[in-house]
Amino acid sequence: MSLRLRGMLKPDLEPITSRPPVVIAFLVVLALLGLFCVGRLVHHFQQEEKALARQLYWRSLREQVAGKKDLAIQHFRAALGYDHDNFEYQLALARALVDSGRTQEAESYLIGLWERFPQNGEVNLALGRLAAEEKSLDRAMQYYHNAIYGLWVSNAEQNRVQAWFELIRVLIGLDARRQAEAEVVSLSANLPPNPGMELLTANLFAELEDYEHALTEYRRVLGSDPTNPAALAGAGEAAYKLSRYRTAAGYLEAATKARPQDAQLTQLLQTSQLILENDPFNRRISRLERDRRLRMIFQDAGQRLDACIQAGEPQPSSSQSSTDPISPLKVRWTTMKSKLGQLGTGRESEVPDEIMDLVLQIEQQTAACGMTVKDQALLLLAENRAGVEQ
Amino acid sequence: VRDSLTARQEPSVPSNSAAAEAAPNVRTHPWLFLTANLTEERFFLILSVFIGIFAGLAVICLRLAIDWTSISLLGPAPSPHTLGVLLVPAVVGLVIAVLVIHVFPQVRGSGVNQTKAAFYIFNGRIPFRTAVGKFITAALAIGSGQSLGPEDPSLQIGASLAWVIGRRMKFSREKLRLLAPVGAAAGLAAAFNAPISAVLFVIEEVIGRWSAAILGSVVLSAISSVVVVRSFLGAQPLFRIPPLATVHPTELLAYAVLGIVGGLAAVVFAKAIGYFRPLLIALPKATRYFQPALAGLMIGFIGYLGAPQVMGAGYESIDQAMHDHFTWTVLAGLAGLKILATTLSLVTGTPGGMFAPTMFIGAMLGGAVGGVERHFYPHLTGTTGTYALVGMGVLFAGFMRVPMTSVFMVLEVSGDYSIIVPVILANAIAYVISRSLQETPIFDLLTRQDGLNLPSLEEQREEGILRVEDAMKLPVAAVLDSRLAVGEASQQVQGTSSEVFLVRLFPSGWGSVNRDVIERLVNEGKSGMTLASLLPAQPLPYLHPDHPLEMALRYVEQTPLVPVVSRADLRKLEGIITGEDVFARYRVAAGESP
């Protein structure tokens, strides 16, 4: 008989507490009891720690508001020591670090958060801001896009749009205008009906010199708020830039009524009106009136040339020109004056264009003498003689 | 029970009629059926799992106790320039001294050496009282700001719990001894949240030798304790690991520098402990009441002046170092202060461990070296976290002299094998420097200062192993074929001086025959008999050249001449070895004349 069996068949010779089955059963019970008790203890302790962490967190927020940045960071860290995985505390600490200029530390915290919550809008936005500070265009765009399309705990739509606006501002700041323009186009297509945001979008288009889209957006705003002065001004300016002076004059007139003290608007309005009044190529005016306007424009250009010569120090606008450009213009003006007689004779088909070419050159070359509203109007007329809004 | 557990190991199994009668009971009795196949080995494995569970639970409680003590004594967010930071470590130091002197005299120091002594000297015995004492005093010491860690106490507590669980089982002495390393691995794995490193450390430092028989139990206990800890406290490491990166192969030069700096720092650290500890032990016993308090006061002073990071285990600061929260000058300063603070705590016998401080110093040094490199070569440098992590391994390799553990610790904690080259490079350099400048490893040094002489893996590595090839001689006498007739054999051996001749058996094996026997048979007219018919049925034992020389000792007693044969061809004789050859070789190894 084996010793093993012999040992088992004579249990009376061994203390019962030493028998393997009894020992195993006892250990199982003890282990279960231990796991339960320690589990309760850990739970209780963790609750206590979390409460402590919350206290430290609020204290840190108060310190942050009071401007005690270093102390706030210390207590944010202490709070995280007691509640390691708390997203709120980590984000608060990262923001506090950013505020204190400790961007490298902040980034490491944020990257840790990002690895856990790659879709979180707030984390991506914070990382995007850091990347923007570091002028890292690709990373900034990546994080901002993650924020725009990511998850937000509250006010998701508003936060996304704000992140989008922020991205466009960042792109403009980093001189990535093409990317910025693409983002604004995309934003405007996804914008919820909100005049304030539409106005901001229109302003961004205008800033990016995409006046066509800007005008459309301003009109969208005016559709819901026809008297919005900012939209009226923006629409007028956009139309002016697009050489649609009649439209511009309409918006600018309404805008100046709301903002009479705005000198720039007034100037734009005056320029637009002068252009409309002096446009010789307006199809609605008679031939006689056209000739009259051409003569008047020509005279004004001549006077400007004389005034500039008398001023004595005309600065050529072209740096390439090393010789005085004004004298040849005066000669050309005098030659052209002899051709004015051809106006109204039926043989003058080339004369209006020649006049406007000369006017354009005169206004360009005499720009350094200072431009009045009328000069500005003449210059624009000469530049856009086919494009002035009919 | 021991009989029942070890029966399978008995060489012969006696049988009698009682067994036959009892056999049906084995099938019908559920308990007996359950234990019918339970050998000591298997029962020990099962017990290892329970040891791991209980060690894990104890370590969780220890961690909570340390945190609770720290919050209660130093406040939730200890700041410099506060009286609490200055005075608490000193006041608690007095309490600890009283407890250690009067209540728990076995809990001084880290606990690793005590566990090793339990394994080698006390058959695995570490009384439960020691575990309780270690728990209380370590929680008080670390919680009050002494510069110590909870890992070594966890190791000792685990070993003690293993003894408590296993002592009634009437295990064999070998198994009883194993309780200590099994519990130690469980405790360390739970404290460290890194089972592989814990197992390696226990093998490298506590057991001191590699043994497949031990490995199973140690691994099981380590894993079960880690599972328990992770299920309650989460799987995250003690500090967050940042993204790791090495930028360029030339950066390895910086890691080599880190290895040199770390190696030198480890030597300074070890020498400081080795120098001051015996001095303090030699002081009058009455001073032991004040030693931990004095150490606490000095550490508190460091914290008061502006470096509270050096107080306690310092995991938060390691985390911050890894995430670029300190400049390189601050990191270097913290490393130096931590060496000072930990030396103070350790030499005064305050209960607590060296693991966490070693990691702290390593992380700070690593971060500092990385910071300096970044200052001069910003485009060549990876993250500070990478340097800090490698630095931890460097200090481990240099200070504790556990090269395997140091490498795996970094890899296990980081979970990133991409940094293995810098880790190995820096650790190897630190290890070599430490071995060159500090002859005795720190744990052996502490053991010897305590009057014990325990074996270490490093010493064993240094001991050259003598092999058979070192002692064997080339065969000079004729080798006879077993198919030869005695007369032919007689002719072959004529003209040779040997008295004993090896016989090559057919188809394989070796035998030996004496000249006297051959001559006697020839004289008796038996020249026609083959040698094979004369030889005993049992062939000669043989050796291979790479066998340890100890192995030859087993055979030279049985036969005057042992053949040494090739492993590739057992019929090819490489040499011969006799008892005299073996002893002569040992005499040479001992420095005597052969």
Side-chain angles (χ1 to χ4, degrees), chain B residues 63-417:
Chain B
R63 278 173 69 172
L64 297 190
I66 291 169
D67 286 351
W68 182 82
T69 311
S70 176
I71 293 168
S72 306
L73 296 176
L74 296 171
S79 308
H81 316 302
T82 53
L83 269 184
V85 166
L86 178 65
L87 297 178
V88 162
V91 175
V92 176
L94 284 173
V95 177
I96 291 168
V98 171
L99 284 171
V100 170
I101 293 168
H102 293 289
V103 190
F104 307 113
Q106 302 293 319
V107 302
R108 279 174 65 88
S110 85
V112 174
N113 289 329
Q114 291 88 335
T115 307
K116 197 171 174 180
F119 178 65
Y120 278 105
I121 303 170
F122 304 114
N123 293 329
R125 181 175 179 275
I126 300 177
F128 186 58
R129 182 188 175 121
T130 304
V132 174
K134 198 78 178 189
F135 186 98
I136 294 169
T137 52
L140 280 172
I142 301 165
S144 67
Q146 291 273 3
S147 179
L148 297 163
E151 291 85 4
D152 313 32
S154 301
L155 178 147
Q156 194 180 9
I157 290 168
S160 177
L161 286 177
W163 168 257
V164 172
I165 293 167
R167 65 178 175 170
R168 288 180 178 276
M169 297 301 112
K170 295 185 181 175
F171 284 125
S172 61
R173 179 178 292 178
E174 183 62 23
K175 284 284 181 280
L176 278 177
R177 277 186 172 171
L178 277 184
L179 286 170
V182 167
L188 186 58
F192 216 30
N193 206 356
I196 299 172
S197 309
V199 169
L200 285 174
F201 180 81
V202 165
I203 287 171
E204 279 194 299
E205 195 50 55
V206 178
I207 302 171
R209 63 188 149 90
W210 288 91
S211 167
I214 301 171
L215 204 58
S217 309
V218 171
V219 168
L220 264 182
S221 68
I223 287 174
S224 53
S225 72
V226 167
V227 168
V228 169
V229 169
R230 288 187 180 180
S231 61
F232 285 117
L233 301 180
Q236 68 273 19
L238 298 165
F239 28 80
R240 295 169 305 128
I241 304 298
L244 305 176
T246 46
V247 174
H248 194 270
T250 52
E251 209 184 336
L252 286 175
L253 286 173
Y255 287 104
V257 172
L258 174 56
I260 294 168
V261 173
L264 293 174
V267 171
V268 169
F269 190 21
K271 281 197 181 291
I273 294 168
Y275 179 75
F276 287 110
R277 191 165 176 264
L279 292 182
L280 291 181
I281 290 172
L283 289 175
K285 284 194 173 178
T287 62
R288 292 188 186 174
Y289 285 100
F290 306 104
Q291 287 180 11
L294 203 60
L297 189 65
M298 293 172 80
I299 293 165
F301 191 62
I302 294 171
Y304 182 83
L305 288 182
Q309 294 92 341
V310 302
M311 299 174 78
Y315 292 129
E316 286 296 321
S317 301
I318 294 174
D319 183 287
Q320 289 167 14
M322 287 200 162
H323 291 86
D324 263 337
H325 296 179
F326 302 119
T327 61
W328 72 267
T329 48
V330 174
L331 290 169
L334 285 175
L337 289 173
K338 190 72 177 179
I339 289 176
L340 175 64
T342 310
T343 304
L344 287 168
S345 290
L346 284 172
V347 298
T348 53
T350 311
M354 295 187 268
F355 269 70
T358 307
M359 287 194 287
F360 183 106
I361 297 162
M364 300 300 151
L365 276 181
V369 170
V372 172
E373 199 211 351
R374 180 181 294 171
H375 182 75
F376 291 106
Y377 307 102
H379 59 289
L380 279 179
T381 313
T383 61
T384 303
T386 314
Y387 280 89
L389 198 63
V390 174
M392 284 199 284
V394 163
L395 252 285
F396 250 74
F399 178 65
M400 298 198 176
R401 301 268 273 271
V402 280
M404 293 279 287
T405 308
S406 68
V407 170
F408 276 87
M409 185 265 294
V410 173
L411 300 181
E412 195 173 17
V413 167
S414 68
D416 189 337
Y417 285 79

Side-chain angles (χ1 to χ4, degrees), chain A residues 1-11 13-15 17-43 45-46 48-49 52 55-56 59 71 74-75 77-82 84-85 90 93 97 102 104-106 108-113 115, chain B residues 1-8 10 13-16 18-20 22-23 25-26 31-32 34-39 43 46-47 50 53-54 57-58 60-61 63-65 67-68 70-71 75-80 165 168-170 228 231-233 236 238 240-243 316 319-320 323-326 374 384:
Chain A
M1 176 182 159
S2 71
L3 291 175
R4 168 168 46 89
L5 292 177
R6 195 171 55 192
M8 288 171 188
L9 295 172
K10 294 180 179 175
L13 295 179
E14 304 293 345
T17 51
S18 296
R19 291 181 208 165
V22 176
V23 170
I24 291 172
F26 176 70
L27 288 176
V28 167
V29 171
L30 204 62
L32 289 174
L33 196 66
L35 288 168
F36 175 76
C37 291
V38 172
R40 297 297 305 164
L41 189 68
V42 169
H43 178 72
F45 193 79
Q46 285 176 341
E48 290 286 318
E49 280 196 324
L52 197 60
Q55 282 176 19
L56 286 166
R59 187 172 157 186
L71 206 58
Q74 186 188 332
H75 289 136
R77 283 213 173 105
L80 272 171
Y82 295 113
H84 300 275
D85 298 329
Q90 284 175 326
L93 174 58
L97 288 167
R102 292 146 80 167
Q104 207 169 6
E105 288 177 55
S108 72
Y109 265 99
L110 288 168
I111 285 173
L113 281 175
E115 282 167 353
Chain B
V1 169
R2 186 176 161 188
D3 283 350
S4 72
L5 295 174
T6 55
R8 286 203 160 201
E10 298 293 333
V13 181
S15 63
N16 56 32
N25 289 340
V26 175
W31 280 122
L32 293 180
L34 182 69
T35 57
N37 293 313
L38 201 58
T39 61
F43 185 62
I46 293 172
L47 210 61
F50 284 103
I53 291 170
F54 289 114
L57 293 174
I60 291 170
C61 291
R63 278 173 69 172
L64 297 190
D67 286 351
W68 182 82
S70 176
I71 293 168
S79 308
I165 293 167
R168 288 180 178 276
M169 297 301 112
K170 295 185 181 175
V228 169
S231 61
F232 285 117
L233 301 180
Q236 68 273 19
L238 298 165
R240 295 169 305 128
I241 304 298
E316 286 296 321
D319 183 287
Q320 289 167 14
H323 291 86
D324 263 337
H325 296 179
F326 302 119
R374 180 181 294 171
T384 303

Side-chain angles (χ1 to χ4, degrees), chain B residues 422-484:
Chain B
V423 168
I424 290 176
L425 174 74
N427 286 14
I429 290 172
Y431 182 68
V432 168
I433 288 174
S434 178
R435 280 192 63 168
S436 308
L437 302 177
Q438 168 80 18
E439 190 183 344
T440 314
I442 185 69
F443 286 118
D444 292 351
L445 192 69
L446 298 179
T447 314
R448 286 171 197 174
Q449 287 176 356
D450 292 340
L452 302 172
N453 193 358
L454 301 175
S456 74
L457 196 61
E458 194 169 284
E459 279 179 351
Q460 286 173 28
R461 273 199 296 262
E462 284 175 3
E463 285 174 4
I465 297 174
L466 288 176
R467 302 193 180 278
V468 167
E469 64 193 357
D470 298 325
M472 73 182 191
K473 287 176 179 164
L474 293 174
V476 286
V479 177
L480 304 174
D481 194 295
S482 63
R483 289 169 293 184
L484 284 178

Side-chain angles (χ1 to χ4, degrees), chain A residues 342-356:
Chain A
Q342 294 176 15
L343 288 172
T345 60
R347 291 181 287 125
E348 77 286 4
S349 58
E350 298 294 321
V351 175
D353 279 333
E354 285 175 19
I355 290 171
M356 293 310 284

